[in-house]
Amino acid sequence: MKPTVFFLLQLAATACHAQAQAPQTPMPGQILVTGTLADEAGKAAVLGRLRELYGAERVVDQISIGNVAVPANWNGYVQKLIAPNLKLISRGQISIAGNNVSVRGEVANEAQRQQIASDIATSLNPTYTVNNGLRVKAAEAEQGLLDAALDKRIIEFDSGKATITPAGQAILDEMAAAMLRLRGRKVEVIGHTDDTGLRASNVALSQARAEAVRAYLASKGVAADTVLVSGQGPDRPVASNATADGRARNRRIEFRIAQ
């Protein structure tokens, strides 16, 4: 009995599983294509589609021709799988072994992870099995955790001071719990103000408030050396300072995963 056709597309410059020929290591940004196909026509179709999608200069061809069995309409299904949404995957790999498809790698968010897997499944017939090994990029997932904990709320301080109000402390209790889940990942705490008053005073106040947040988080178990602080004053508004509502939105503490 012939072995099943095997095809592996790597979406990053990483080492691949050993094949009949020793694999090269592609340069960053190149696409490594390796495996065994049944004929030259199938190989040409795969390479043509990949070169159209990524550019000919990026595709590294390591496909060999062998005595392998091809499932019905296999070439057509492979063409459907090599779709534009593959470009959303980084550091990834797609393996097509007969009727088994496995996709791994990183995407920007959960919506992309689910959409790509859904698109792959709907492009195939029910005889195919799809294993979704995609994961959300760590920094994106971690930032999402912080954003969900803050939930667009504003941490309040006493007017003109760096003293956190009880309402602000309640929000920071939730932020501390979220940051403890990050297991030591560094987070930037950035203070912002509106443009009322002198810029120098606002910068100093925003810095003092960011430092007050770090001290409060430390009291809740967040290691102080994992919290970086800065005060941006009025320099990065998110709303117009011409209205009371806009000024209130600009007086805020921002939490960002440190890059």
Side-chain angles (χ1 to χ4, degrees):
M1 182 177 179
K2 293 181 180 179
T4 303
V5 65
F6 180 84
F7 166 66
L8 175 66
L9 160 66
Q10 288 192 314
L11 302 168
T14 55
C16 72
H17 300 297
Q19 302 295 324
Q21 54 183 315
Q24 305 170 218
T25 300
M27 297 295 290
Q30 290 184 321
I31 310 302
L32 177 65
V33 198
T34 187
T36 304
L37 300 183
D39 53 49
E40 290 290 348
K43 174 179 176 177
V46 166
L47 292 176
R49 184 75 181 99
L50 288 169
R51 287 165 178 161
E52 177 185 347
L53 184 62
Y54 290 100
E57 72 284 354
R58 296 183 61 191
V59 178
V60 179
D61 171 22
Q62 291 189 349
I63 298 175
S64 60
I65 304 300
N67 188 23
V68 293
V70 180
N73 301 317
W74 189 86
N75 287 337
Y77 286 124
V78 170
Q79 291 292 305
K80 291 181 179 180
L81 288 175
I82 303 175
N85 61 10
L86 293 188
K87 298 176 77 172
L88 299 174
I89 304 172
S90 61
R91 291 189 287 182
Q93 206 178 72
I94 292 183
S95 171
I96 310 167
N99 292 58
N100 295 309
V101 178
S102 176
V103 56
R104 295 188 294 168
E106 293 187 345
V107 292
N109 52 57
E110 180 62 21
Q112 284 187 4
R113 192 187 80 84
Q114 294 185 19
Q115 186 62 54
I116 292 171
S118 174
D119 289 347
I120 289 174
T122 55
S123 69
L124 303 170
N125 71 32
T127 66
Y128 281 77
T129 301
V130 179
N131 174 30
N132 179 13
L134 294 173
R135 60 189 181 276
V136 177
K137 291 179 183 178
E140 296 287 346
E142 291 165 344
Q143 186 61 53
L145 181 65
L146 294 180
D147 292 344
L150 188 57
D151 194 26
K152 299 181 180 179
R153 295 174 294 178
I154 295 174
I155 296 167
E156 297 177 352
F157 296 82
D158 288 345
S159 179
K161 300 179 180 179
T163 306
I164 306 167
T165 66
Q169 291 178 358
I171 296 173
L172 287 178
D173 289 344
E174 296 179 40
M175 296 304 300
M179 291 172 67
L180 289 171
R181 291 172 58 189
L182 297 178
R183 300 182 182 278
R185 188 78 151 88
K186 291 187 182 297
V187 173
E188 295 180 77
V189 172
I190 309 167
H192 303 274
T193 68
D194 61 28
D195 66 351
T196 303
L198 297 176
R199 179 183 178 279
S201 298
N202 282 326
V203 170
L205 179 61
S206 64
Q207 178 74 26
R209 285 178 170 176
E211 290 173 354
V213 167
R214 175 168 59 185
Y216 186 85
L217 292 171
S219 74
K220 298 298 177 178
V222 178
D225 62 0
T226 66
V227 182
L228 312 178
V229 298
S230 66
Q232 301 292 322
D235 296 344
R236 291 170 54 192
V238 293
S240 171
N241 280 305
T243 67
D245 178 66
R247 290 192 294 274
R249 290 175 59 193
N250 289 333
R251 297 190 295 267
R252 69 196 191 280
I253 294 290
E254 183 180 5
F255 296 81
R256 304 297 301 173
I257 294 295
Q259 300 300 316

